[in-house]
Amino acid sequence: MEASKVYFTNMRASIDDSLTDKLQRLIRKAGISSIPFENRFAAIKIHFGEPGNLSFLRPNFAYAVAEVIRSLGGKPFLTDCNTLYAGGRKNALEHLESAQRNGFSPLSTGCQILIADGLRGLDEALVPIEGGKHIKVARIGRAVMDADVFISLTHFKGHEATGFGGAIKNIGMGCGSRAGKMEQHCDGKPEVIPSRCRGCRQCAKQCAHDAISYGEGRVASIDHKKCVGCGRCIAACNFDAIVNRNGGSNRILCEKIAEYTLAVVQGRPHFHISVVMQVSPNCDCHAENDAPIIPDVGMFASFDPVALDQACADACNRQPVLPNSQLSDLLGRGSGSGDHFADCAPGTDWHAMLAHAEEIGVGTRRYELITVR
């Protein structure tokens, strides 16, 4: 397969050229205008941010993208699916309230907001996948599949289960209905190292399934019959007391996400944008965000989400580690591998996600980087 074109612009701005101006110029240079938008519904998949998290993409980025789509005759809307875990986005009402608290509205974004899998996360489309190793029929939020054109707008950051959260994570996991998310997460089962547990109960606060209890000496234990393997407890523990010893389970999760991504993009026009700024160590699903682990990098766009993720990861790994970050703390305990995401979330393997996505035909990891001024 030929290398895919990935377009890039940095985060520098001038008095007469804002970042949103640069974003619009970037996506036009990348070829978004070649998509036939006229009178067609365009789903813009974005993460609205968990309340308390401040590293999600500002609504201004969504407005810039929606404005370009409207200028091309399209009918854009912002969308995401409900979550599995306890938090502010587990049903459509709370999800919309959270989006509004974080500044997303028709006025601030220039388009409407739809929660793709409905009030309770049950409104899903069953999408067959050709060539899937794990998934034969994906459960995707119906509004995502009802759209004529699919656009992903991603905050590129670290992730405790997949190494990083990029375009493929935003699409595959993000567009899954609640049942679809459960299907993707069901292989990984973390466990507690008793000698490290301090009984702080932070892990239990993050568990939506009441799977964590405390026994003698206030040591946590995880009920694997209730656990769905979402990994939030791993990120919540400040003492490295919760681990996933089954290294294959994270790989399977990554491969399932790739297969769900194929279900979303196959058979229709799609385009992908990633903004690499405030690169927090964990997902925007957290009700907090730690300090960025690297400096801001820039904005990327491509028709190929695999090439896009590879280009973003490569650009991140060329950056220095910021002091007073989770990554610098971890590297202070030993030498790093040169892969910031693997060092920040040991036991993850983001390469598995991209390799499987390439294998099943989502895109290619080979890319040509084109800089847009």
Side-chain angles (χ1 to χ4, degrees):
M1 184 180 291
E2 291 185 6
S4 293
K5 290 181 170 60
V6 177
Y7 292 76
F8 165 78
T9 192
N10 63 30
M11 301 301 288
R12 300 299 302 275
S14 65
I15 195 168
D16 58 353
D17 193 26
S18 70
L19 288 179
T20 51
D21 290 336
K22 291 184 73 174
L23 175 57
Q24 291 183 332
R25 188 160 63 250
L26 174 75
I27 63 177
R28 287 185 182 277
K29 287 283 189 180
I32 195 171
S33 302
S34 67
I35 296 174
F37 280 107
E38 188 67 34
N39 291 319
R40 304 179 83 187
F41 294 115
I44 304 174
K45 169 61 179 74
I46 193 170
H47 194 305
F48 297 113
E50 189 70 21
N53 187 295
L54 297 177
S55 66
F56 61 89
L57 291 184
R58 295 174 179 85
N60 310 66
F61 291 100
Y63 187 96
V65 175
E67 187 174 46
V68 170
I69 293 172
R70 289 197 313 272
S71 74
L72 297 170
K75 299 178 178 180
F77 64 94
L78 296 183
T79 193
D80 198 2
C81 287
N82 293 306
T83 62
L84 271 179
Y85 54 80
R89 298 179 301 121
K90 61 184 179 293
N91 61 64
L93 295 184
E94 294 179 13
H95 206 152
L96 289 170
E97 289 173 2
S98 297
Q100 291 161 3
R101 282 180 59 184
N102 285 339
F104 291 88
S105 71
L107 180 62
S108 66
T109 66
C111 61
Q112 297 295 330
I113 299 171
L114 297 176
I115 304 305
D117 59 344
L119 179 61
R120 300 179 185 273
L122 302 175
D123 190 10
E124 60 190 17
L126 302 181
V127 184
I129 301 175
E130 292 291 334
K133 182 164 68 171
H134 306 284
I135 308 296
K136 301 305 178 186
V137 178
R139 300 174 179 273
I140 308 296
R142 186 170 297 279
V144 167
M145 298 311 301
D146 282 347
D148 303 298
V149 179
F150 179 81
I151 309 292
S152 68
L153 176 57
T154 302
H155 172 223
F156 196 91
K157 66 280 182 187
H159 195 278
E160 57 276 14
T162 59
F164 64 69
I168 293 175
K169 175 68 167 54
N170 184 29
I171 301 165
M173 184 62 71
C175 291
S177 66
R178 296 195 81 200
K181 288 180 172 66
M182 177 77 79
E183 181 177 37
Q184 292 175 75
H185 274 304
C186 66
D187 286 293
K189 303 292 183 182
E191 59 184 82
V192 177
I193 300 174
S195 62
R196 296 181 182 176
C197 181
R198 300 293 185 271
C200 68
R201 298 181 180 265
Q202 289 301 312
C203 55
K205 291 179 182 178
Q206 295 295 326
C207 183
H209 304 279
D210 195 29
I212 300 176
S213 59
Y214 294 83
E216 186 177 349
R218 299 189 304 167
V219 174
S221 63
I222 300 173
D223 184 344
H224 285 178
K225 292 181 180 178
K226 296 180 179 179
C227 173
V228 301
C230 70
R232 287 177 64 82
C233 58
I234 298 174
C237 182
N238 292 321
F239 306 101
D240 298 326
I242 304 179
V243 296
N244 189 348
R245 296 191 189 277
N246 180 5
S249 63
N250 274 341
R251 184 181 66 256
I252 292 169
L253 171 63
C254 287
E255 290 177 350
K256 287 182 175 182
I257 290 170
E259 292 179 10
Y260 261 68
T261 299
L262 178 62
V264 172
V265 302
Q266 62 187 355
R268 60 175 166 171
H270 54 94
F271 185 84
H272 310 280
I273 307 152
S274 287
V275 181
V276 188
M277 63 182 294
Q278 290 186 277
V279 182
S280 49
N282 296 317
C283 183
D284 292 344
C285 293
H286 283 254
E288 85 294 325
N289 59 282
D290 204 351
I293 60 175
I294 59 172
D296 292 349
V297 177
M299 298 179 285
F300 297 74
S302 179
F303 285 99
D304 184 337
V306 182
L308 181 65
D309 273 357
Q310 185 70 59
C312 290
D314 289 345
C316 287
N317 282 329
R318 288 193 292 267
Q319 302 301 310
V321 176
L322 288 177
N324 301 314
S325 67
Q326 178 179 305
L327 182 54
S328 68
D329 290 347
L330 290 168
L331 294 181
R333 305 174 194 170
S335 60
S337 67
D339 183 335
H340 297 331
F341 300 109
D343 289 337
C344 212
T348 63
D349 182 11
W350 57 266
H351 294 278
M353 183 164 53
L354 301 194
H356 191 57
E358 184 174 51
E359 181 182 1
I360 62 177
V362 178
T364 176
R365 299 179 72 175
R366 298 178 60 242
Y367 64 90
E368 175 191 356
L369 192 65
I370 301 168
T371 300
V372 177
R373 303 296 179 187

